[in-house]
Amino acid sequence: NAHVVMYAADVFVQGREGGDRVPAKVASIGTAIDLAVLTLEDDAFFKKRPPIERAAKRPAVGEQTTLFGFAAGGTGLAVTRGPVSRIEYGPYSDQVQGIRIRVDAAASPGTSGGAAIVGGKMAGLVFQRTENSAYLIPNEEIDGYLEDVKDGRYDGKPNLWGNFQILTNETLRKKLGLTKAEHGIMLRETARVGPPSPLQEYDVLTHVAGVPLDNEGMVEFEPNLRLLFLSVLPRLGRKDAVPARIIRHRQLLDVEIPLTLEKHDLFKIYTGEYPSYFVHGPLVFSPVYQAAVENYVQGNPAMAEGTPLITRLGSLAAFPGEELVVVTSPMLHHKIARGYADPFGQVVKDVDGVPIKNLAHLVEVLRDGKDEFLTIRFFGNWTETLVFPRRELEDATPDLMAENGIPKRGTADVMAIWNARGKHSP
């Protein structure tokens, strides 16, 4: 699993019986689908360990499954068993969905990435768990990932972006002029970034690639298996557009809906790279990442009321490149900030009266400011306005970095913007 090796400083592989740890490198990683490929420095590891044969077919509901993993609390291989209880199209991460298999068998922490065996063959890998069940990544999703990373990079699944609503309410159906024989789901909101879409609010999506949808957005994926309509997209082998049929103002229309590999969610997710950041005086700024929101709210609960961390949770970006910029570290101690409450976890609203679009824009505004005082305002009902002497703030930055063991003022992307200051100011 990607979450096992993501951001690991060192990776080793060890056989089930223990012994030497073989150094490994992460050859590719797909955090959204929670898979990674490792290469070993010493191929001798494989001489006495032949690969497990992989099943050509997905297991059926009710089939007994054996889960292997290294559960926490010991060093030996742990084994649990249970039946397949459900096959569904559901979330792998905040931004990606895929086919997943639920097995009613206990899976303790540490079993992530362990093989699931059905009939002596591998049917998938464990990647999530609940108290009494485990979720598997089936072979077909693994195959899709391996095909994707043949060029050394994980591009991800093509997706159709927009917010849809089921059509089971009779009043809503009457407003749309739908008959009982007409089925589909309604577009409530389309993405405001990415390729232009022919879809409009209140359009009813009835077919995708010729496959009919029901009123809850489900399709017959296989005989006796209904999944969310998005499950059809990876089968098409297309990354540009998908043919679809819609009802608009009681008229049937055939359209081509563009697909995209881009992520249009406002909150970013960790995908293996290091997050961008920038240090300015006692403040460290970064874009908001989904996984960090809980830490911000817990670390500074007083600021939670009215902050976009809460009010825009789950939102799509309002314009290309939109990011929420947050104070990502507790404020560094310096006399220049004495008397201010710690703005840790607060989202920047504007700097010197300029609304902030993203981290790069923030750095530009800081770089080009000429007034004696720097003024920073944050979103939220209980935030403070911070005012600093501009020159003193800049002069204090190197000392604050040295005192707090910060080797670089920012990541390369934002430092390129900051270092261009001579071209933009006298």
Side-chain angles (χ1 to χ4, degrees):
N1 289 147
H3 75 260
V4 175
V5 296
M6 185 169 58
Y7 298 115
D10 297 291
V11 178
F12 300 91
V13 172
Q14 188 177 35
R16 60 174 292 183
E17 70 279 7
D20 295 335
R21 296 185 175 187
V22 181
K25 293 183 178 180
V26 179
S28 65
I29 189 166
T31 53
I33 200 70
D34 204 6
L35 290 170
V37 172
L38 306 182
T39 56
L40 304 189
E41 290 186 5
D42 186 359
D43 287 345
F45 179 87
F46 297 110
K47 289 183 178 179
K48 295 182 180 179
R49 299 178 178 90
I52 302 171
E53 185 178 356
R54 299 173 65 211
K57 290 180 59 179
R58 191 187 322 112
V61 172
E63 284 198 78
Q64 283 294 122
T65 306
T66 305
L67 308 182
F68 292 85
F70 290 87
T75 58
L77 191 66
V79 180
T80 56
R81 292 184 176 86
V84 172
S85 61
R86 182 187 301 157
I87 298 171
E88 61 189 7
Y89 199 83
Y92 276 61
S93 69
D94 296 318
Q95 297 181 326
V96 169
Q97 297 187 74
I99 297 174
R100 60 185 200 174
I101 301 172
R102 173 174 168 160
V103 177
D104 284 349
S108 301
T111 55
S112 291
I117 306 298
V118 177
K121 298 179 181 180
M122 190 188 97
L125 298 176
V126 178
F127 81 107
Q128 287 181 359
R129 66 182 186 87
T130 62
E131 185 175 353
N132 296 308
S133 62
Y135 287 93
L136 313 181
I137 305 174
N139 286 337
E140 59 204 286
E141 294 286 358
I142 296 172
D143 289 339
Y145 168 75
L146 294 175
E147 182 66 28
D148 189 317
V149 299
K150 281 184 176 179
D151 61 357
R153 183 184 67 184
Y154 179 62
D155 296 316
K157 293 183 174 186
N159 209 341
L160 185 162
W161 288 94
N163 291 326
F164 291 89
Q165 180 173 335
I166 66 174
L167 284 175
T168 55
N169 180 270
E170 289 302 321
T171 304
L172 179 58
R173 292 179 62 82
K174 286 180 181 178
K175 173 182 171 61
L176 297 172
L178 299 178
T179 68
K180 289 186 177 181
E182 292 174 321
H183 305 283
I185 54 175
M186 184 190 76
L187 181 70
R188 185 173 57 81
E189 178 187 25
T190 189
R192 284 167 281 185
V193 296
S197 173
L199 298 182
Q200 301 176 9
E201 186 180 7
Y202 296 117
D203 282 349
V204 177
L205 182 64
T206 65
H207 292 75
V208 172
V211 180
L213 281 65
D214 66 18
N215 292 327
E216 295 183 352
M218 307 294 282
V219 299
E220 188 173 15
F221 188 77
E222 294 172 356
N224 300 317
L225 178 62
R226 298 190 69 80
L227 299 177
L228 190 67
F229 77 97
L230 295 174
S231 62
V232 173
L233 302 183
R235 287 186 164 187
L236 302 178
R238 298 179 58 177
K239 295 185 178 181
D240 53 349
V242 57
R245 176 166 290 183
I246 63 172
I247 298 175
R248 177 184 297 165
H249 305 312
R250 298 180 171 85
Q251 298 294 317
L252 277 175
L253 299 174
D254 290 319
V255 297
E256 289 270 325
I257 304 177
L259 301 176
T260 178
L261 295 173
E262 299 176 26
K263 309 304 180 190
H264 303 317
D265 299 77
L266 177 60
F267 288 32
K268 302 167 76 71
I269 62 169
Y270 294 117
T271 57
E273 82 289 349
Y274 285 91
S276 299
Y277 74 90
F278 184 71
V279 180
H280 200 63
L283 303 176
V284 184
F285 300 101
S286 175
V288 171
Y289 281 75
Q290 175 74 44
V293 170
E294 184 177 356
N295 293 333
Y296 295 143
V297 175
Q298 288 182 348
N300 198 348
M303 65 85 194
E305 186 176 337
T307 176
L309 295 178
I310 305 300
T311 61
R312 297 196 64 188
L313 187 65
S315 297
L316 300 177
F319 53 84
E322 184 188 17
E323 293 175 341
L324 298 181
V325 180
V326 67
V327 178
T328 194
S329 162
M331 187 157 60
L332 308 179
H333 292 289
H334 194 276
K335 64 180 181 180
I336 203 170
R338 192 172 297 153
Y340 290 141
D342 189 350
F344 169 66
Q346 292 181 9
V347 177
V348 179
K349 182 179 182 181
D350 56 56
V351 173
D352 294 334
V354 179
I356 297 303
K357 301 175 183 177
N358 50 45
L359 181 62
H361 184 226
L362 170 75
V363 175
E364 287 180 0
V365 175
L366 292 174
R367 178 195 68 193
D368 298 339
K370 298 180 178 63
D371 294 342
E372 178 183 0
F373 298 105
L374 169 68
T375 302
I376 303 175
R377 295 197 302 167
F378 302 95
F379 290 97
N381 298 340
W382 304 103
T383 61
E384 294 181 340
T385 297
L386 305 186
V387 179
F388 299 102
R390 190 179 301 275
R391 177 52 58 188
E392 290 181 40
L393 192 71
E394 176 63 23
D395 292 343
T397 302
D399 291 339
L400 281 166
M401 290 173 57
E403 291 171 8
N404 290 275
I406 304 173
K408 296 181 180 180
R409 182 165 186 176
T411 43
D413 54 339
V414 295
M415 290 309 299
I417 297 170
W418 178 256
N419 292 330
R421 62 194 308 183
K423 302 177 182 178
H424 299 268
S425 58

